[in-house]
Amino acid sequence: MHLAHPALRQPVTAADRVLQEIQRAIVEGDIAAGSKISEPELARRFDLSRAPLREALARLERCHLIERIPNAGARVVTLSTAGLLALYQLRENLEGLACKLAAEHMTDAEITEVRLLLDQHLSSQRVREGESYYQEAGDLDFHYRVILGSKNSYLINILCDELYYLVRMYRVQLGMNGPRVSRAFDEHKAIINAIANRDGELADLLMRRHIAASRRNIELQLQQMGS
Amino acid sequence: MHLAHPALRQPVTAADRVLQEIQRAIVEGDIAAGSKISEPELARRFDLSRAPLREALARLERCHLIERIPNAGARVVTLSTAGLLALYQLRENLEGLACKLAAEHMTDAEITEVRLLLDQHLSSQRVREGESYYQEAGDLDFHYRVILGSKNSYLINILCDELYYLVRMYRVQLGMNGPRVSRAFDEHKAIINAIANRDGELADLLMRRHIAASRRNIELQLQQMGS
DNA sequence: TAGGTGTACATTGTCGACAATCCTGCCTGT
DNA sequence: ACAGGCAGGATTGTCGACAATGTACACCTA
């Protein structure tokens, strides 16, 4: 039960490299949502054979960025309100559990580190007055730390490898940068406090609320775009 | 968001077939836990080239039956108390959530069908006095139905595709056939009743308890084997 | 004209061989 | 004797070509 997971590992094989490139391209909408994936075309575009490309596609399917049908090809997933709801239902539960476990298993040193991280976010947020950094890397980074703190390898795998990129895709493509930034920061602070107090139940509750609020925020955005 | 998932789909490609064969072999201990996987050997054994085999290995990694290290090969996972605990921690939470959602989303027809299924289990159990069928296919089948009833595709995917075989592996290799059978049946009955009453909170609670009891049962078995 | 059928094309699945990497055991030097 | 390095063998990663399957368009028939 090793805790270092693939996402942090730097690419060693050609399939790893092309996977990261395609992941980024899909998450940022460079490859349009819902569009068909052509193996020969991508192989030419990234200048490698179909073997490593197919390996990459298999992993893309694993993190729900594409859907494959045997003998018929692959399509990039489409964003939908139903999908968002299903995704966040899961996140609420899983990250709640992660908080509960983190309250049991995180070391004091790890907790201190996360607090330092939050302070960095705060200053960088104030200095730049732009929320994008915080929302982009920071928020996810905080969640990342807490998830790792759960020390449950299956949970870590699901949240950091399989759902992570899909969550990012929704946030990036819907352009999340609203006024929720400072509130999110306070919520993070409250969560790490609960973990530090070894109050798993409270940490669980706070994280669920935090994610529910985030979901409502994105739902609103989706609604505005739809109308 | 389609709800029919790969596990139910019959194999259409060579990779599908060999995947199912290796899955069964690992789950039933035919390929020993912890043993190294040799691609050339397996390719000869199943009489196909390495391309579809590697596809199958990728999916085996996805359901946590093997662990791969780049340029170094793959090993079958080893069973451990820590792994079992982590796995069941997750199951308690996820299947609890599945119950809650099933209470909201299952149709009356689906509920009736599950009840019929339970009655079948009961009679077949009484007739044969052997618990293996029930424990093997039946119990998992009940869980299967409830999970599908949640109508959350991500949740279904995680429980039915990624964790299902690992759970089976623990149960099969530790030879689960204790006196828990009739109690498990009653618990199933109580759960489906709660779902029928649309009491998601109770269904959640009952399922968590049900799985916790199952976990303690297996832990006991593991302890006895260890000593 | 609408529906079904057949053929040609494109795409995916599979194969066997080559290249790159890692592990093993032996050899050498201190 | 032991540590380090060096070759040999084996394994994994990648490639280009072939086979099987699915798709689309034209054609024929009713």
Side-chain angles (χ1 to χ4, degrees), chain A residues 13-15 48-52 71-72:
Chain A
T13 181
L48 38 68
S49 102
R50 281 177 50 222
N71 285 320

Side-chain angles (χ1 to χ4, degrees), chain A residues 102-108 111 193-201:
Chain A
E104 296 173 19
H105 298 312
M106 265 183 118
T107 66
D108 293 337
I111 293 173
N193 283 343
I195 290 176
N197 292 333
R198 305 303 178 186
D199 188 344
E201 208 172 348

Side-chain angles (χ1 to χ4, degrees), chain B residues 13-15 48-52 71-72:
Chain B
T13 181
L48 39 67
S49 100
R50 281 176 51 219
N71 285 319

Side-chain angles (χ1 to χ4, degrees), chain A residues 166-185:
Chain A
L166 195 55
V167 171
R168 278 198 55 194
M169 185 173 173
Y170 271 100
R171 299 180 64 156
V172 170
Q173 297 210 8
L174 300 182
M176 283 300 96
N177 50 6
R180 232 187 78 69
V181 176
S182 60
R183 258 198 57 195
F185 178 84

Side-chain angles (χ1 to χ4, degrees), chain B residues 13-30:
Chain B
T13 181
D16 287 335
R17 273 193 300 279
V18 70
L19 169 66
Q20 292 194 0
E21 291 197 58
I22 301 180
Q23 252 175 358
R24 189 208 54 75
I26 292 181
V27 166
E28 300 184 8
D30 221 29

